[in-house]
Amino acid sequence: MNREIWKIAFAYTGVIVGAGFSTGQEILQFFTNHGLYSYAAILLSGLMVLFIGRQATKFGYRIQADSHKAPIFTMFGKVTGTIIDYLFVFFLYGIAVIMFAGAGSAFNESFGLPTWLGTLIMVCFIVITLMLDFDKIVAALGVVTPFLIAVVVIIAMLNIFNPQVPLDTVDALADASRTPSGVWFLDGAMYAGFTLATAFSFLSIMGANASSHKAAARGGLLGGVVITVLMLLINAALISNMDVVNDIALPTLALAANIHPALQLTLAIVMLLVIYNTGVGVLYPFLKRYSEPYTKKYYTILIIAAVVGYFLSFVGFVELVGIVYPAFGILGLLIGLGLTSRWFMNKSSRKELL
């Protein structure tokens, strides 16, 4: 497996594993509170992420997409595509603002910095990165992924082999009312949709920049495998501490602290890096949708978006976007349905639609 495939896979993973994923909150809310059924939900979600992520990168390569607009308009037509396009832009920017706010909280809780300063530091790093060329952006996104995998594996293994909760009591402690729908397979599907919606723009662009159709497909597939394995490991660690995780704001950080302060510090640093990853990964497609990269217009939109986003992170915008996250998941499922339909059409007509 060549280096380019791993580069695409790690960049894909880097876009997904933002603040909610790395802290364990997304896994806790969508999966862990379904008890042992959480594993079935993750496997369902993982299979969807694997397949749809692969199709998204392939489609991006096939039509040489320069943003999410081309694949969306190709699948849904101009009228419906325009509506989906505007929804995507709203959510991509909303997620970026959430990353700004998440960075401020992480800096404050882990290092004692004022929230405003932590947010400002993250915004500055993201802006500087987005001034680099695309290959350097992809490389930056992929760098932190191996470190996240290593830390998650350590935390998961130590908690799995030293559980605080017997396996036969997990279902009694789980609280499905804390999950979005209360139904394990619906939450699994919704999370897969949210994952695709978050990464779709970047996957399309990465696919278009791949050297071959095979590299694009395999990179998307391998990224889905990495994301699924991380989901399973984090879920296993949380289930091992099912009696306390619902009362903790940053579950994985708390689990790391129980093992050793050095591991907690390491995870805190990695968390900030993956927040940075997601911020870059969602802002780049947002910028590319409305400007040619590295032109005066691109830099102007970048600076305005960063400044406005910085202030929005303090005025409740984060809570608003958080409420409509399930809608973003449904939007992602709609995109996934479009990609799957084209895959079936491709198989039946023997034409290279993807």
Side-chain angles (χ1 to χ4, degrees):
M1 198 171 293
N2 67 39
R3 185 176 179 181
E4 183 186 12
I5 293 171
W6 284 102
K7 184 179 178 181
I8 293 171
F10 280 166
Y12 177 15
T13 307
V15 172
I16 296 303
V17 291
F21 191 105
S22 61
T23 62
Q25 272 299 329
E26 285 179 11
I27 305 302
L28 177 64
Q29 291 181 24
F30 278 87
F31 301 108
T32 308
N33 271 305
H34 286 295
L36 297 180
Y37 276 105
S38 60
Y39 290 107
I42 288 175
L43 290 175
L44 170 65
S45 188
L47 287 172
M48 294 174 68
V49 168
L50 283 170
F51 175 75
I52 298 173
R54 175 179 178 269
Q55 297 308 108
T57 49
K58 285 173 61 181
F59 197 17
Y61 176 83
R62 187 72 70 193
I63 67 172
Q64 287 298 293
D66 59 359
S67 73
H68 62 256
K69 181 181 178 180
I72 286 174
F73 275 47
T74 301
M75 287 188 289
F76 298 102
K78 187 174 181 180
V79 176
T80 304
T82 299
I83 296 170
I84 294 174
D85 177 32
Y86 282 120
L87 288 171
F88 249 95
V89 170
F90 170 77
F91 281 115
L92 286 174
Y93 188 63
I95 292 171
V97 173
I98 288 173
M99 293 305 111
F100 295 167
S105 298
F107 270 115
N108 179 257
E109 293 187 25
S110 301
F111 303 103
L113 288 180
T115 301
W116 67 267
L117 180 58
T119 300
L120 181 62
I121 291 171
M122 183 59 67
V123 170
C124 289
F125 272 107
I126 289 174
V127 168
I128 291 169
T129 303
L130 287 169
M131 291 181 175
L132 305 174
D133 65 49
F134 184 76
D135 286 339
K136 290 180 180 178
I137 291 174
V138 173
L141 290 177
V143 166
V144 71
T145 303
F147 294 100
L148 177 66
I149 293 171
V151 174
V152 167
V153 167
I154 292 170
I155 293 172
M157 290 299 108
L158 290 174
N159 280 279
I160 290 169
F161 289 108
N162 185 34
Q164 303 302 304
V165 174
L167 201 60
D168 58 1
T169 65
V170 168
D171 285 334
L173 294 167
D175 184 2
S177 67
R178 292 175 176 262
T179 63
S181 74
V183 181
W184 67 267
F185 56 86
L186 290 180
D187 287 334
M190 192 182 298
Y191 189 78
F194 176 76
T195 297
L196 174 65
T198 302
F200 180 70
S201 291
F202 206 79
L203 284 173
S204 300
I205 298 169
M206 281 195 295
N209 282 270
S211 62
S212 68
H213 181 267
K214 182 183 290 185
R218 291 184 177 178
L221 186 67
L222 182 60
V225 171
V226 174
I227 292 166
T228 304
V229 170
L230 287 173
M231 288 162 62
L232 287 167
L233 287 172
I234 292 176
N235 185 62
L238 295 176
I239 275 184
S240 299
N241 295 267
M242 195 72 236
D243 57 332
V244 296
V245 289
N246 277 318
D247 300 318
I248 304 171
L250 305 175
T252 54
L253 202 59
L255 297 183
N258 290 339
I259 296 169
H260 197 279
L263 187 61
Q264 179 189 22
L265 176 62
T266 302
L267 180 59
I269 294 170
V270 171
M271 277 172 48
L272 286 167
L273 290 173
V274 298
I275 290 171
Y276 155 85
N277 269 7
T278 301
V280 171
V282 296
L283 263 184
Y284 181 76
F286 169 80
L287 295 168
K288 203 169 189 296
R289 171 63 184 83
Y290 293 110
S291 63
E292 184 68 26
Y294 320 118
T295 60
K296 183 178 179 180
K297 183 178 180 182
Y298 174 90
Y299 292 123
T300 301
I301 296 174
L302 170 59
I303 298 302
I304 292 173
V307 172
V308 173
Y310 175 78
F311 288 104
L312 283 175
S313 70
F314 298 107
V315 297
F317 185 74
V318 173
E319 287 75 13
L320 175 62
V321 175
I323 291 171
V324 295
Y325 257 30
F328 200 26
I330 294 170
L331 182 64
L333 288 175
L334 181 62
I335 299 297
L337 182 62
L339 289 168
T340 304
S341 297
R342 289 189 67 84
W343 180 76
F344 277 116
M345 290 166 62
N346 185 37
K347 292 298 180 181
S348 62
S349 66
R350 296 183 179 179
K351 293 179 180 179
E352 292 187 340
L353 298 175
L354 283 176

